[in-house]
Amino acid sequence: MAKNAAQQIVLDDELDELIDGLRQPEMMISPKYFYDERGSQLFDEITRLPEYYPTETELGIMQDNIDEIASLVGRQASLIEFGSGSSLKTRILLDHLDELAAYVPVDISEDHLLQSAQQIREEFPDLDVLPVVADFTQPFRLPTPRVMPVRNVVYFPGSTIGNFTNDGAQELLAVMHGEAGADGALLIGVDLQKDPAIIEAAYNDSAGVTAEFNLNMLRHLNREFGADFDVDAFTHSAEYNEDEGRIEIRLVSEQDQEFTVGSQSFSIGKDEAILTEYSHKYTLDGFAAMAETAGFRVKRVWTDAGRLFSVQYLVRD
Ligand code: AVJ
C-alpha cells in the first residue's frame, strides 16, 4: 500500500534504527517487528499452546483475585493500558472495576488500537474509551475523561516488561510512574524465574509455532522494508540464560550468506545469529528493587499455586 508523507518519515526512522541494530557486535532486530498481521495471529496461537504457561496462568490469577484487585483500584479510576488491550484480562478488569472514569488504551499501531477500542466500546457502551496513539516508552499526554478520575491506574499485562533490558525496564517504569501521577498505581503482569526446562519449553513448542513467529519477522521486513532475507536459511533458537534470568531468542544462520535491508548489505556466517527478543524472568525481590528505583512500592503480589507468574499492584510513594 502507498504510504503518506508522515508514514514514510516513520518508516525512514525505523529503517535507520533497524540498520543500526544490524551493525551492533551481535546483530539484533527489535521484537516489535514480530507483530505484523500474521505475527499477531501467530502470537495469539502461542498464547493457546500447552507449553506457553504465561497467558493462562496470568488469566487465572486475575480471575481468582479480581475482587481484591477491584477494591485496591477503588471506584472511578482511569485505567490506562500500555499496549492496545483487547484481551480477556482487560475484559475481566472492565467487567469488575467500580464505575471506571475512563479506559485509555495506548499503542503505537493506530489501526490495531482503533479497532480494539471500537470493539471495547461496543461491549461496554457506557464506558468512556479514549485511545491514545503513542510510543509508550516516551512520556505522552493523557486525554481528559468526561468524569474526573479518582486515580490513574496503569495496566501492563503479559510480562511485556520482560522484553526490556534492566535499564529499559527502569525507564519504562519511570514513564508509567509519571503517567500514573499522584495517588496513581501500576497493575502489572510479571513472569517469574523457575525451572529453566519449563521456560525453555514455552519458547520451543513442539508444534513449532514460536519458530514460525520468529521467522515471520524476516518475511515482515522483506515486505515492509524491502529486505531480502532468505527465510529458509535461518532457524529458530530460544535458550534460557540463567545468569541474566532471561530467554534469548535468535534467528541462526544455516550458512554463510548476505542480505540487504534498505540500501545496506550485511553478511552473516554459518551459525552466527540475529538476536530478536529477550524475555526476562524475575524474582519477586529483583522486580521490587527495580520498581523501587522508579519510585514504586510493591503493595500486593498475587501468584498461582505453582509460582510460575505474578500479578503485582504497585503504588507511588
Ligand atoms: C509478549 C513479550 C510477553 O516474552 O513471552 C512469546 C513474547 N515471544 N513467545 C514473551 C513471546 C515468544 C512474549 N511477550
Side-chain angles (χ1 to χ4, degrees), residues 180-216:
D183 275 332
L186 168 59
L187 181 66
I188 184 168
V190 178
D191 199 6
L192 300 177
Q193 292 184 10
K194 62 186 70 67
D195 178 355
I198 297 177
I199 303 178
E200 287 197 340
Y203 296 86
N204 291 285
D205 63 281
S206 56
V209 181
T210 308
E212 202 44 43
F213 174 71
N214 195 12
L215 289 162
N216 180 66

PDB file of all heavy atoms in Angstrom, residues 180-216:
ATOM      1  N   ALA A 180       0.958   7.740  35.874  1.00  0.00           N
ATOM      2  CA  ALA A 180       0.068   7.390  36.995  1.00  0.00           C
ATOM      3  C   ALA A 180      -0.230   8.631  37.830  1.00  0.00           C
ATOM      4  O   ALA A 180      -1.343   8.806  38.317  1.00  0.00           O
ATOM      5  CB  ALA A 180       0.708   6.301  37.856  1.00  0.00           C
ATOM      6  N   GLY A 181       0.733   9.499  37.979  1.00  0.00           N
ATOM      7  CA  GLY A 181       0.519  10.738  38.735  1.00  0.00           C
ATOM      8  C   GLY A 181       0.368  10.471  40.220  1.00  0.00           C
ATOM      9  O   GLY A 181       0.434   9.322  40.686  1.00  0.00           O
ATOM     10  N   ALA A 182       0.160  11.542  40.989  1.00  0.00           N
ATOM     11  CA  ALA A 182      -0.001  11.421  42.442  1.00  0.00           C
ATOM     12  C   ALA A 182      -1.149  10.462  42.731  1.00  0.00           C
ATOM     13  O   ALA A 182      -2.159  10.475  42.025  1.00  0.00           O
ATOM     14  CB  ALA A 182      -0.285  12.789  43.040  1.00  0.00           C
ATOM     15  N   ASP A 183      -0.990   9.599  43.727  1.00  0.00           N
ATOM     16  CA  ASP A 183      -2.039   8.627  44.094  1.00  0.00           C
ATOM     17  C   ASP A 183      -2.264   7.547  43.055  1.00  0.00           C
ATOM     18  O   ASP A 183      -3.185   6.759  43.174  1.00  0.00           O
ATOM     19  CB  ASP A 183      -3.392   9.317  44.347  1.00  0.00           C
ATOM     20  CG  ASP A 183      -3.486   9.829  45.764  1.00  0.00           C
ATOM     21  OD1 ASP A 183      -2.837   9.239  46.649  1.00  0.00           O
ATOM     22  OD2 ASP A 183      -4.190  10.837  45.967  1.00  0.00           O
ATOM     23  N   GLY A 184      -1.442   7.552  41.998  1.00  0.00           N
ATOM     24  CA  GLY A 184      -1.626   6.574  40.933  1.00  0.00           C
ATOM     25  C   GLY A 184      -1.047   5.220  41.296  1.00  0.00           C
ATOM     26  O   GLY A 184      -0.369   5.067  42.319  1.00  0.00           O
ATOM     27  N   ALA A 185      -1.315   4.234  40.455  1.00  0.00           N
ATOM     28  CA  ALA A 185      -0.826   2.882  40.712  1.00  0.00           C
ATOM     29  C   ALA A 185      -0.509   2.184  39.396  1.00  0.00           C
ATOM     30  O   ALA A 185      -0.862   2.681  38.319  1.00  0.00           O
ATOM     31  CB  ALA A 185      -1.876   2.091  41.495  1.00  0.00           C
ATOM     32  N   LEU A 186       0.171   1.058  39.522  1.00  0.00           N
ATOM     33  CA  LEU A 186       0.504   0.223  38.364  1.00  0.00           C
ATOM     34  C   LEU A 186       0.105  -1.213  38.661  1.00  0.00           C
ATOM     35  O   LEU A 186       0.520  -1.783  39.670  1.00  0.00           O
ATOM     36  CB  LEU A 186       2.010   0.316  38.086  1.00  0.00           C
ATOM     37  CG  LEU A 186       2.617  -0.694  37.096  1.00  0.00           C
ATOM     38  CD1 LEU A 186       1.977  -0.597  35.717  1.00  0.00           C
ATOM     39  CD2 LEU A 186       4.137  -0.493  36.982  1.00  0.00           C
ATOM     40  N   LEU A 187      -0.719  -1.780  37.784  1.00  0.00           N
ATOM     41  CA  LEU A 187      -1.087  -3.197  37.865  1.00  0.00           C
ATOM     42  C   LEU A 187      -0.344  -3.886  36.732  1.00  0.00           C
ATOM     43  O   LEU A 187      -0.571  -3.570  35.558  1.00  0.00           O
ATOM     44  CB  LEU A 187      -2.609  -3.342  37.709  1.00  0.00           C
ATOM     45  CG  LEU A 187      -3.172  -4.756  37.793  1.00  0.00           C
ATOM     46  CD1 LEU A 187      -2.988  -5.356  39.195  1.00  0.00           C
ATOM     47  CD2 LEU A 187      -4.659  -4.756  37.424  1.00  0.00           C
ATOM     48  N   ILE A 188       0.566  -4.799  37.091  1.00  0.00           N
ATOM     49  CA  ILE A 188       1.490  -5.327  36.080  1.00  0.00           C
ATOM     50  C   ILE A 188       1.654  -6.843  36.194  1.00  0.00           C
ATOM     51  O   ILE A 188       1.719  -7.382  37.301  1.00  0.00           O
ATOM     52  CB  ILE A 188       2.864  -4.593  36.190  1.00  0.00           C
ATOM     53  CG1 ILE A 188       3.833  -5.034  35.089  1.00  0.00           C
ATOM     54  CG2 ILE A 188       3.489  -4.766  37.583  1.00  0.00           C
ATOM     55  CD1 ILE A 188       5.076  -4.145  34.972  1.00  0.00           C
ATOM     56  N   GLY A 189       1.714  -7.502  35.043  1.00  0.00           N
ATOM     57  CA  GLY A 189       1.982  -8.941  34.983  1.00  0.00           C
ATOM     58  C   GLY A 189       3.482  -9.167  34.857  1.00  0.00           C
ATOM     59  O   GLY A 189       4.114  -8.593  33.972  1.00  0.00           O
ATOM     60  N   VAL A 190       4.030 -10.004  35.737  1.00  0.00           N
ATOM     61  CA  VAL A 190       5.479 -10.207  35.807  1.00  0.00           C
ATOM     62  C   VAL A 190       5.769 -11.714  35.844  1.00  0.00           C
ATOM     63  O   VAL A 190       5.380 -12.400  36.799  1.00  0.00           O
ATOM     64  CB  VAL A 190       6.047  -9.528  37.083  1.00  0.00           C
ATOM     65  CG1 VAL A 190       7.546  -9.769  37.192  1.00  0.00           C
ATOM     66  CG2 VAL A 190       5.732  -8.033  37.091  1.00  0.00           C
ATOM     67  N   ASP A 191       6.448 -12.213  34.826  1.00  0.00           N
ATOM     68  CA  ASP A 191       6.784 -13.641  34.784  1.00  0.00           C
ATOM     69  C   ASP A 191       7.945 -13.911  35.739  1.00  0.00           C
ATOM     70  O   ASP A 191       8.835 -13.081  35.906  1.00  0.00           O
ATOM     71  CB  ASP A 191       7.136 -14.054  33.355  1.00  0.00           C
ATOM     72  CG  ASP A 191       7.043 -15.561  33.150  1.00  0.00           C
ATOM     73  OD1 ASP A 191       6.603 -16.281  34.080  1.00  0.00           O
ATOM     74  OD2 ASP A 191       7.410 -16.034  32.055  1.00  0.00           O
ATOM     75  N   LEU A 192       7.915 -15.091  36.372  1.00  0.00           N
ATOM     76  CA  LEU A 192       8.870 -15.385  37.445  1.00  0.00           C
ATOM     77  C   LEU A 192       9.926 -16.409  37.028  1.00  0.00           C
ATOM     78  O   LEU A 192       9.677 -17.267  36.177  1.00  0.00           O
ATOM     79  CB  LEU A 192       8.113 -15.903  38.675  1.00  0.00           C
ATOM     80  CG  LEU A 192       7.076 -14.937  39.257  1.00  0.00           C
ATOM     81  CD1 LEU A 192       6.327 -15.592  40.428  1.00  0.00           C
ATOM     82  CD2 LEU A 192       7.721 -13.621  39.707  1.00  0.00           C
ATOM     83  N   GLN A 193      11.089 -16.325  37.662  1.00  0.00           N
ATOM     84  CA  GLN A 193      12.139 -17.330  37.455  1.00  0.00           C
ATOM     85  C   GLN A 193      11.655 -18.669  37.999  1.00  0.00           C
ATOM     86  O   GLN A 193      10.967 -18.711  39.007  1.00  0.00           O
ATOM     87  CB  GLN A 193      13.440 -16.883  38.140  1.00  0.00           C
ATOM     88  CG  GLN A 193      14.041 -15.669  37.437  1.00  0.00           C
ATOM     89  CD  GLN A 193      15.387 -15.219  38.006  1.00  0.00           C
ATOM     90  OE1 GLN A 193      15.991 -15.915  38.815  1.00  0.00           O
ATOM     91  NE2 GLN A 193      15.831 -14.053  37.574  1.00  0.00           N
ATOM     92  N   LYS A 194      12.032 -19.729  37.303  1.00  0.00           N
ATOM     93  CA  LYS A 194      11.574 -21.073  37.665  1.00  0.00           C
ATOM     94  C   LYS A 194      12.479 -22.077  36.989  1.00  0.00           C
ATOM     95  O   LYS A 194      13.456 -21.671  36.337  1.00  0.00           O
ATOM     96  CB  LYS A 194      10.116 -21.251  37.219  1.00  0.00           C
ATOM     97  CG  LYS A 194       9.946 -21.125  35.699  1.00  0.00           C
ATOM     98  CD  LYS A 194       8.502 -21.159  35.245  1.00  0.00           C
ATOM     99  CE  LYS A 194       7.693 -19.942  35.601  1.00  0.00           C
ATOM    100  NZ  LYS A 194       8.131 -18.700  34.902  1.00  0.00           N
ATOM    101  N   ASP A 195      12.150 -23.358  37.108  1.00  0.00           N
ATOM    102  CA  ASP A 195      12.894 -24.414  36.427  1.00  0.00           C
ATOM    103  C   ASP A 195      13.092 -24.044  34.945  1.00  0.00           C
ATOM    104  O   ASP A 195      12.119 -23.896  34.203  1.00  0.00           O
ATOM    105  CB  ASP A 195      12.087 -25.715  36.563  1.00  0.00           C
ATOM    106  CG  ASP A 195      12.733 -26.894  35.848  1.00  0.00           C
ATOM    107  OD1 ASP A 195      13.772 -26.694  35.160  1.00  0.00           O
ATOM    108  OD2 ASP A 195      12.209 -28.016  35.976  1.00  0.00           O
ATOM    109  N   PRO A 196      14.351 -23.885  34.519  1.00  0.00           N
ATOM    110  CA  PRO A 196      14.603 -23.482  33.125  1.00  0.00           C
ATOM    111  C   PRO A 196      13.944 -24.389  32.088  1.00  0.00           C
ATOM    112  O   PRO A 196      13.605 -23.919  30.990  1.00  0.00           O
ATOM    113  CB  PRO A 196      16.128 -23.558  33.006  1.00  0.00           C
ATOM    114  CG  PRO A 196      16.629 -23.357  34.398  1.00  0.00           C
ATOM    115  CD  PRO A 196      15.597 -23.981  35.302  1.00  0.00           C
ATOM    116  N   ALA A 197      13.724 -25.652  32.433  1.00  0.00           N
ATOM    117  CA  ALA A 197      13.106 -26.571  31.461  1.00  0.00           C
ATOM    118  C   ALA A 197      11.681 -26.107  31.123  1.00  0.00           C
ATOM    119  O   ALA A 197      11.239 -26.213  29.965  1.00  0.00           O
ATOM    120  CB  ALA A 197      13.086 -27.998  32.013  1.00  0.00           C
ATOM    121  N   ILE A 198      10.977 -25.594  32.111  1.00  0.00           N
ATOM    122  CA  ILE A 198       9.604 -25.104  31.886  1.00  0.00           C
ATOM    123  C   ILE A 198       9.645 -23.877  30.973  1.00  0.00           C
ATOM    124  O   ILE A 198       8.849 -23.733  30.044  1.00  0.00           O
ATOM    125  CB  ILE A 198       8.925 -24.748  33.232  1.00  0.00           C
ATOM    126  CG1 ILE A 198       8.786 -25.992  34.101  1.00  0.00           C
ATOM    127  CG2 ILE A 198       7.571 -24.071  33.001  1.00  0.00           C
ATOM    128  CD1 ILE A 198       8.187 -25.737  35.482  1.00  0.00           C
ATOM    129  N   ILE A 199      10.612 -22.991  31.243  1.00  0.00           N
ATOM    130  CA  ILE A 199      10.715 -21.759  30.453  1.00  0.00           C
ATOM    131  C   ILE A 199      11.122 -22.085  29.017  1.00  0.00           C
ATOM    132  O   ILE A 199      10.513 -21.598  28.056  1.00  0.00           O
ATOM    133  CB  ILE A 199      11.726 -20.781  31.100  1.00  0.00           C
ATOM    134  CG1 ILE A 199      11.309 -20.476  32.552  1.00  0.00           C
ATOM    135  CG2 ILE A 199      11.824 -19.502  30.282  1.00  0.00           C
ATOM    136  CD1 ILE A 199      12.276 -19.552  33.288  1.00  0.00           C
ATOM    137  N   GLU A 200      12.135 -22.931  28.869  1.00  0.00           N
ATOM    138  CA  GLU A 200      12.601 -23.251  27.507  1.00  0.00           C
ATOM    139  C   GLU A 200      11.513 -23.941  26.686  1.00  0.00           C
ATOM    140  O   GLU A 200      11.374 -23.673  25.493  1.00  0.00           O
ATOM    141  CB  GLU A 200      13.886 -24.080  27.549  1.00  0.00           C
ATOM    142  CG  GLU A 200      15.067 -23.210  27.959  1.00  0.00           C
ATOM    143  CD  GLU A 200      16.431 -23.819  27.641  1.00  0.00           C
ATOM    144  OE1 GLU A 200      16.524 -25.046  27.460  1.00  0.00           O
ATOM    145  OE2 GLU A 200      17.402 -23.034  27.596  1.00  0.00           O
ATOM    146  N   ALA A 201      10.719 -24.786  27.330  1.00  0.00           N
ATOM    147  CA  ALA A 201       9.632 -25.467  26.597  1.00  0.00           C
ATOM    148  C   ALA A 201       8.612 -24.450  26.082  1.00  0.00           C
ATOM    149  O   ALA A 201       8.063 -24.609  24.991  1.00  0.00           O
ATOM    150  CB  ALA A 201       8.952 -26.499  27.496  1.00  0.00           C
ATOM    151  N   ALA A 202       8.386 -23.380  26.858  1.00  0.00           N
ATOM    152  CA  ALA A 202       7.390 -22.372  26.469  1.00  0.00           C
ATOM    153  C   ALA A 202       7.797 -21.607  25.212  1.00  0.00           C
ATOM    154  O   ALA A 202       6.949 -21.044  24.518  1.00  0.00           O
ATOM    155  CB  ALA A 202       7.166 -21.391  27.622  1.00  0.00           C
ATOM    156  N   TYR A 203       9.099 -21.594  24.925  1.00  0.00           N
ATOM    157  CA  TYR A 203       9.604 -20.849  23.762  1.00  0.00           C
ATOM    158  C   TYR A 203      10.158 -21.774  22.682  1.00  0.00           C
ATOM    159  O   TYR A 203      10.742 -21.306  21.704  1.00  0.00           O
ATOM    160  CB  TYR A 203      10.662 -19.825  24.216  1.00  0.00           C
ATOM    161  CG  TYR A 203      10.055 -18.768  25.125  1.00  0.00           C
ATOM    162  CD1 TYR A 203       9.931 -18.985  26.499  1.00  0.00           C
ATOM    163  CD2 TYR A 203       9.546 -17.581  24.596  1.00  0.00           C
ATOM    164  CE1 TYR A 203       9.340 -18.040  27.334  1.00  0.00           C
ATOM    165  CE2 TYR A 203       8.958 -16.632  25.420  1.00  0.00           C
ATOM    166  CZ  TYR A 203       8.852 -16.867  26.783  1.00  0.00           C
ATOM    167  OH  TYR A 203       8.259 -15.940  27.597  1.00  0.00           O
ATOM    168  N   ASN A 204       9.983 -23.077  22.891  1.00  0.00           N
ATOM    169  CA  ASN A 204      10.375 -24.081  21.891  1.00  0.00           C
ATOM    170  C   ASN A 204       9.244 -25.099  21.791  1.00  0.00           C
ATOM    171  O   ASN A 204       9.438 -26.294  22.028  1.00  0.00           O
ATOM    172  CB  ASN A 204      11.679 -24.790  22.308  1.00  0.00           C
ATOM    173  CG  ASN A 204      12.887 -23.876  22.237  1.00  0.00           C
ATOM    174  OD1 ASN A 204      13.383 -23.568  21.161  1.00  0.00           O
ATOM    175  ND2 ASN A 204      13.362 -23.427  23.385  1.00  0.00           N
ATOM    176  N   ASP A 205       8.043 -24.625  21.465  1.00  0.00           N
ATOM    177  CA  ASP A 205       6.876 -25.501  21.474  1.00  0.00           C
ATOM    178  C   ASP A 205       6.998 -26.596  20.429  1.00  0.00           C
ATOM    179  O   ASP A 205       7.617 -26.409  19.376  1.00  0.00           O
ATOM    180  CB  ASP A 205       5.606 -24.675  21.247  1.00  0.00           C
ATOM    181  CG  ASP A 205       5.613 -23.997  19.893  1.00  0.00           C
ATOM    182  OD1 ASP A 205       6.272 -22.953  19.741  1.00  0.00           O
ATOM    183  OD2 ASP A 205       4.974 -24.542  18.974  1.00  0.00           O
ATOM    184  N   SER A 206       6.368 -27.726  20.733  1.00  0.00           N
ATOM    185  CA  SER A 206       6.510 -28.896  19.856  1.00  0.00           C
ATOM    186  C   SER A 206       5.781 -28.696  18.531  1.00  0.00           C
ATOM    187  O   SER A 206       6.145 -29.307  17.534  1.00  0.00           O
ATOM    188  CB  SER A 206       5.998 -30.148  20.569  1.00  0.00           C
ATOM    189  OG  SER A 206       4.671 -29.949  20.985  1.00  0.00           O
ATOM    190  N   ALA A 207       4.787 -27.804  18.494  1.00  0.00           N
ATOM    191  CA  ALA A 207       4.081 -27.561  17.229  1.00  0.00           C
ATOM    192  C   ALA A 207       4.853 -26.601  16.320  1.00  0.00           C
ATOM    193  O   ALA A 207       4.488 -26.413  15.153  1.00  0.00           O
ATOM    194  CB  ALA A 207       2.680 -27.010  17.510  1.00  0.00           C
ATOM    195  N   GLY A 208       5.897 -25.995  16.851  1.00  0.00           N
ATOM    196  CA  GLY A 208       6.727 -25.115  16.006  1.00  0.00           C
ATOM    197  C   GLY A 208       6.130 -23.734  15.751  1.00  0.00           C
ATOM    198  O   GLY A 208       6.582 -23.017  14.847  1.00  0.00           O
ATOM    199  N   VAL A 209       5.150 -23.336  16.541  1.00  0.00           N
ATOM    200  CA  VAL A 209       4.504 -22.028  16.315  1.00  0.00           C
ATOM    201  C   VAL A 209       5.459 -20.882  16.657  1.00  0.00           C
ATOM    202  O   VAL A 209       5.538 -19.884  15.936  1.00  0.00           O
ATOM    203  CB  VAL A 209       3.195 -21.898  17.133  1.00  0.00           C
ATOM    204  CG1 VAL A 209       2.525 -20.552  16.863  1.00  0.00           C
ATOM    205  CG2 VAL A 209       2.242 -23.044  16.814  1.00  0.00           C
ATOM    206  N   THR A 210       6.215 -21.039  17.735  1.00  0.00           N
ATOM    207  CA  THR A 210       7.151 -19.967  18.124  1.00  0.00           C
ATOM    208  C   THR A 210       8.249 -19.805  17.070  1.00  0.00           C
ATOM    209  O   THR A 210       8.657 -18.681  16.757  1.00  0.00           O
ATOM    210  CB  THR A 210       7.755 -20.250  19.509  1.00  0.00           C
ATOM    211  OG1 THR A 210       6.687 -20.518  20.427  1.00  0.00           O
ATOM    212  CG2 THR A 210       8.550 -19.056  20.016  1.00  0.00           C
ATOM    213  N   ALA A 211       8.696 -20.928  16.505  1.00  0.00           N
ATOM    214  CA  ALA A 211       9.697 -20.866  15.432  1.00  0.00           C
ATOM    215  C   ALA A 211       9.132 -20.091  14.238  1.00  0.00           C
ATOM    216  O   ALA A 211       9.800 -19.219  13.662  1.00  0.00           O
ATOM    217  CB  ALA A 211      10.097 -22.279  15.012  1.00  0.00           C
ATOM    218  N   GLU A 212       7.891 -20.379  13.904  1.00  0.00           N
ATOM    219  CA  GLU A 212       7.225 -19.698  12.782  1.00  0.00           C
ATOM    220  C   GLU A 212       7.073 -18.198  13.072  1.00  0.00           C
ATOM    221  O   GLU A 212       7.291 -17.351  12.199  1.00  0.00           O
ATOM    222  CB  GLU A 212       5.855 -20.364  12.578  1.00  0.00           C
ATOM    223  CG  GLU A 212       5.246 -20.200  11.227  1.00  0.00           C
ATOM    224  CD  GLU A 212       6.215 -20.396  10.068  1.00  0.00           C
ATOM    225  OE1 GLU A 212       7.024 -21.343  10.105  1.00  0.00           O
ATOM    226  OE2 GLU A 212       6.161 -19.574   9.125  1.00  0.00           O
ATOM    227  N   PHE A 213       6.727 -17.884  14.323  1.00  0.00           N
ATOM    228  CA  PHE A 213       6.577 -16.496  14.789  1.00  0.00           C
ATOM    229  C   PHE A 213       7.901 -15.743  14.641  1.00  0.00           C
ATOM    230  O   PHE A 213       7.944 -14.606  14.153  1.00  0.00           O
ATOM    231  CB  PHE A 213       6.133 -16.574  16.252  1.00  0.00           C
ATOM    232  CG  PHE A 213       6.039 -15.273  17.016  1.00  0.00           C
ATOM    233  CD1 PHE A 213       5.044 -14.355  16.738  1.00  0.00           C
ATOM    234  CD2 PHE A 213       6.931 -15.002  18.061  1.00  0.00           C
ATOM    235  CE1 PHE A 213       4.940 -13.178  17.479  1.00  0.00           C
ATOM    236  CE2 PHE A 213       6.831 -13.837  18.799  1.00  0.00           C
ATOM    237  CZ  PHE A 213       5.832 -12.917  18.505  1.00  0.00           C
ATOM    238  N   ASN A 214       8.977 -16.402  15.022  1.00  0.00           N
ATOM    239  CA  ASN A 214      10.308 -15.796  14.942  1.00  0.00           C
ATOM    240  C   ASN A 214      10.704 -15.566  13.474  1.00  0.00           C
ATOM    241  O   ASN A 214      11.087 -14.464  13.076  1.00  0.00           O
ATOM    242  CB  ASN A 214      11.298 -16.721  15.671  1.00  0.00           C
ATOM    243  CG  ASN A 214      12.631 -16.062  15.986  1.00  0.00           C
ATOM    244  OD1 ASN A 214      12.776 -14.844  15.868  1.00  0.00           O
ATOM    245  ND2 ASN A 214      13.603 -16.866  16.382  1.00  0.00           N
ATOM    246  N   LEU A 215      10.551 -16.599  12.649  1.00  0.00           N
ATOM    247  CA  LEU A 215      10.923 -16.491  11.230  1.00  0.00           C
ATOM    248  C   LEU A 215      10.042 -15.491  10.479  1.00  0.00           C
ATOM    249  O   LEU A 215      10.495 -14.837   9.536  1.00  0.00           O
ATOM    250  CB  LEU A 215      10.823 -17.871  10.560  1.00  0.00           C
ATOM    251  CG  LEU A 215      11.916 -18.853  10.986  1.00  0.00           C
ATOM    252  CD1 LEU A 215      11.522 -20.289  10.655  1.00  0.00           C
ATOM    253  CD2 LEU A 215      13.250 -18.493  10.317  1.00  0.00           C
ATOM    254  N   ASN A 216       8.796 -15.361  10.934  1.00  0.00           N
ATOM    255  CA  ASN A 216       7.880 -14.430  10.257  1.00  0.00           C
ATOM    256  C   ASN A 216       8.388 -12.992  10.289  1.00  0.00           C
ATOM    257  O   ASN A 216       8.060 -12.186   9.420  1.00  0.00           O
ATOM    258  CB  ASN A 216       6.490 -14.518  10.893  1.00  0.00           C
ATOM    259  CG  ASN A 216       5.497 -13.581  10.235  1.00  0.00           C
ATOM    260  OD1 ASN A 216       5.150 -13.754   9.066  1.00  0.00           O
ATOM    261  ND2 ASN A 216       5.077 -12.549  10.967  1.00  0.00           N
TER     262      ASN A 216
END
